[in-house]
Amino acid sequence: MKTKLFLFFAVLMMSFGVNAQDVTSVAVVGEAAGGWPGDPGNPGPEDVHQMENPSGDLENWTLTGLTLTTFATDGGIKFRANNAWDINWGAAEFPAGTGTQGGANIQCIAGTYDVTFNSTTGVYNFSGGTPLPTVKLVGVATGTVDGISMNFIGSDTYRASNVTLLDGAGQFSIDDVLVGEPTFPTGTLTGASDNIPVIAGFYSSVSLNLVTGEYSFVLIPPVSIVGDGVGGWPLGTPGEIDANQLTSTDAINYSLDKLACVVGPAKFRQDNAWTINWGNPAFPSGTATQGGENIAISAAGTYDVRFNRVSGDYSFSIPTIALVGSATPTGWPTGTAGEIDATVLSTLDGVSYFLSSVDLIGGQECKFRTNNAWDVNFGAVEFPIGVGTQGGANIAVSTTSTYSVSLNRVTGEYVFTDLLSATSFNKNTFKVYPNPTNRSWNFVSTSDKNITAIQIVDMLGKTVMTINPAATSANVDATNITSGLYFAKVTTTSGTETVKLMKN
């Protein structure tokens, strides 16, 4: 009997992966408890919310008056031992449950709690919680019926981050009690139900302190790029809004993707006015200064632009785009830090990207992604031709073959051309000669079926010529197209076939 009990206890301990003697301290950690250990605001070395062990058994732990929030996107909490991640517990249940070693984050409800935890069994309980008030920004200015939720961030302060507001009235709703003051963008609530006269804009934060009543709306100042190199200089018309507005979530780092540039001068400016502007002759990167010289864009292209409003650092870059996925020779990215995608497309202008040849596996999937990361990626359900959208579906390759691939980064249009199918052109149906050619190609139908259309496509997937012969033969003049590899899509009343062409 003793042997059975010992085995049962051993199995139980293994299920939690923790021995009691391994635990010398336990703390509650997580974004909902003020931040994960290692965050800039919570660097350690000792976890902030240390639990007590009144009995001294290093097994039963308690913590009173712990305030939890739910403001973070990947919020939640965990128990962890010894101020390290070697031993930690989590589970899906709240306010009570059984944590397991390395389990999920506990998705808590905001409030102040007394906490108990047993580091041997994993059983935990959050009790006596005082629910935090529900705080919202409401009114016409929010553009919504329900308003914008504000999250508790500590020190009696609630905040909504990165919100777009409209011209119009706003109020704070505190547990459904409406309060406001006739001042903007800052003020102090006195309990009155006045409207706050909100001005339209993109705000990095809207904050309210429930104890002092102080509130603030922090506007992200608009920053744009202007000049002959990016579409022209402002006309100076009153109220004019610059066309090329950069976006920001912190009022410091600004970005604008897919900006078409030509050779010429450009500058950054704030508030659609010249009072604050930045420049530096260096291109494609440099450090702009207030009132500095124009940026000298020296190469036309479609660039992703980055600008730091505080440091003045800027860059114009053409992103790399790669084809990734189980259909490709290297498979899906593993997520390893510093990983570089292997199947990279080429580009000359930052718009048209292409691969001359890649082996793809039928029945598998692929996708385009930018700069070796998932922040910007293109996909759609169509194959071999489609229009990819940001974060769209994976592209399902239908047939194992060697393909040329083209992608337009601006429109999302892509083309996979089966090179093996193209080279196995049905000579019993058509004849094409001479191929290669210096001047023209002759297309002849050998099946007495009329050729209804011939479409000549380059390696970028761009149609360079289309003719509609409505005859059993046709001559295609190639004297005005550049030398290189092309594909002809030949259509008859019985279908369409593709042939690879070469222009000398």
Side-chain angles (χ1 to χ4, degrees):
M1 181 67 179
K2 290 182 179 179
T3 301
K4 291 183 178 178
L5 287 174
F6 175 78
L7 290 173
F8 172 77
F9 181 75
V11 170
L12 179 65
M13 293 305 293
M14 289 176 63
S15 68
F16 293 107
V18 177
N19 294 318
Q21 61 268 27
D22 293 334
V23 178
T24 58
S25 66
V26 173
V28 179
V29 299
E31 200 134 20
W36 295 104
D39 288 348
N42 187 28
E46 184 174 281
D47 297 336
V48 175
H49 300 295
Q50 295 285 337
M51 302 187 74
E52 297 180 351
N53 182 233
S55 65
D57 60 3
L58 298 181
E59 180 179 9
N60 294 287
W61 306 85
T62 64
L63 181 61
T64 59
L66 174 65
T67 298
L68 300 176
T69 72
T70 57
F71 72 93
T73 55
D74 64 342
I77 52 174
K78 291 190 99 169
F79 298 95
R80 79 168 192 165
N82 310 330
N83 304 298
W85 283 113
D86 298 341
I87 304 174
N88 68 87
W89 301 264
E93 295 80 18
F94 184 84
T98 301
T100 58
Q101 162 66 6
N105 294 349
I106 302 168
Q107 298 300 319
C108 58
I109 298 172
T112 302
Y113 297 89
D114 294 336
V115 188
T116 61
F117 175 65
N118 185 297
S119 56
T120 299
T121 66
V123 173
Y124 60 84
N125 185 64
F126 292 75
S127 63
T130 302
L132 295 174
T134 299
V135 180
K136 294 182 178 181
L137 178 66
V138 298
V140 173
T142 66
T144 67
V145 175
D146 297 330
I148 298 172
S149 295
M150 301 180 65
N151 302 302
F152 179 71
I153 63 168
S155 302
D156 305 307
T157 300
Y158 286 73
R159 178 174 297 159
S161 300
N162 302 326
V163 295
T164 299
L165 300 178
L166 308 175
D167 285 325
Q171 291 179 308
F172 294 106
S173 170
I174 305 172
D175 282 338
D176 296 324
V177 176
L178 298 178
V179 289
E181 293 292 326
T183 58
F184 181 85
T186 61
T188 301
L189 300 176
T190 61
S193 58
D194 294 324
N195 289 325
I196 301 170
V198 176
I199 297 174
F202 185 54
Y203 292 81
S204 60
S205 68
V206 179
S207 302
L208 171 65
N209 186 297
L210 293 189
V211 174
T212 65
E214 295 176 298
Y215 63 85
S216 66
F217 293 71
V218 179
L219 178 69
I220 292 181
V223 171
S224 57
I225 183 168
V226 298
D228 290 336
V230 294
W233 295 104
L235 299 175
T237 306
E240 180 182 10
I241 303 298
D242 297 337
N244 298 315
Q245 297 284 336
L246 286 75
T247 61
S248 174
T249 59
D250 59 8
I252 297 175
N253 297 290
Y254 288 74
S255 64
L256 177 60
D257 290 344
K258 306 173 187 175
L259 177 65
C261 300
V262 299
V263 174
K267 271 196 134 175
F268 297 101
R269 73 174 196 163
Q270 181 177 307
D271 301 320
N272 305 295
W274 285 114
T275 307
I276 302 175
N277 68 88
W278 300 265
N280 182 318
F283 180 85
S285 62
T287 300
T289 57
Q290 161 67 8
E293 296 181 53
N294 295 337
I295 300 167
I297 298 175
S298 57
T302 297
Y303 296 94
D304 290 349
V305 182
R306 301 292 181 263
F307 175 63
N308 185 301
R309 193 172 65 91
V310 175
S311 69
D313 293 338
Y314 65 87
S315 66
F316 293 70
S317 64
I318 292 178
T320 62
I321 295 181
L323 189 66
V324 298
S326 56
T328 70
T330 53
W332 292 106
T334 62
T336 306
E339 181 177 16
I340 303 298
D341 296 335
T343 311
V344 179
L345 286 76
S346 300
T347 184
L348 298 175
D349 58 8
V351 177
S352 297
Y353 287 72
F354 63 93
L355 272 173
S356 59
S357 177
V358 60
D359 294 329
L360 299 179
I361 303 170
Q364 299 297 318
E365 298 177 326
C366 60
K367 221 173 188 186
F368 301 98
R369 78 170 193 162
T370 300
N371 293 333
N372 308 299
W374 285 114
D375 298 341
V376 179
N377 66 86
F378 303 89
V381 296
E382 294 82 13
F383 181 87
I385 299 174
V387 179
T389 58
Q390 163 63 12
N394 294 341
I395 302 167
V397 177
S398 60
T399 305
T400 298
S401 190
T402 302
Y403 295 85
S404 67
V405 184
S406 65
L407 170 72
N408 186 302
R409 183 169 72 102
V410 175
T411 66
E413 296 174 281
Y414 59 82
V415 176
F416 290 74
T417 301
D418 189 336
L419 299 179
L420 298 184
S421 173
T423 57
S424 61
F425 183 63
N426 190 343
K427 296 182 180 179
N428 294 323
T429 305
F430 295 99
K431 291 182 180 179
V432 179
Y433 63 91
N435 190 19
T437 187
N438 294 317
R439 296 185 178 181
S440 64
W441 295 287
N442 294 306
F443 290 78
V444 178
S445 171
T446 59
S447 61
D448 295 328
K449 294 183 181 296
N450 279 353
I451 301 172
T452 58
I454 300 174
Q455 181 184 14
I456 308 298
V457 180
D458 67 13
M459 289 295 294
L460 299 180
K462 179 182 178 182
T463 299
V464 298
M465 185 186 310
T466 300
I467 65 171
N468 303 101
T472 57
S473 64
N475 178 271
V476 176
D477 185 1
T479 55
N480 291 324
I481 65 176
T482 58
S483 299
L485 180 64
Y486 294 86
F487 296 94
K489 297 180 180 180
V490 184
T491 303
T492 69
T493 54
S494 61
T496 299
E497 294 188 50
T498 304
V499 59
K500 183 165 65 174
L501 304 175
M502 181 63 70
K503 166 66 187 307
N504 290 331

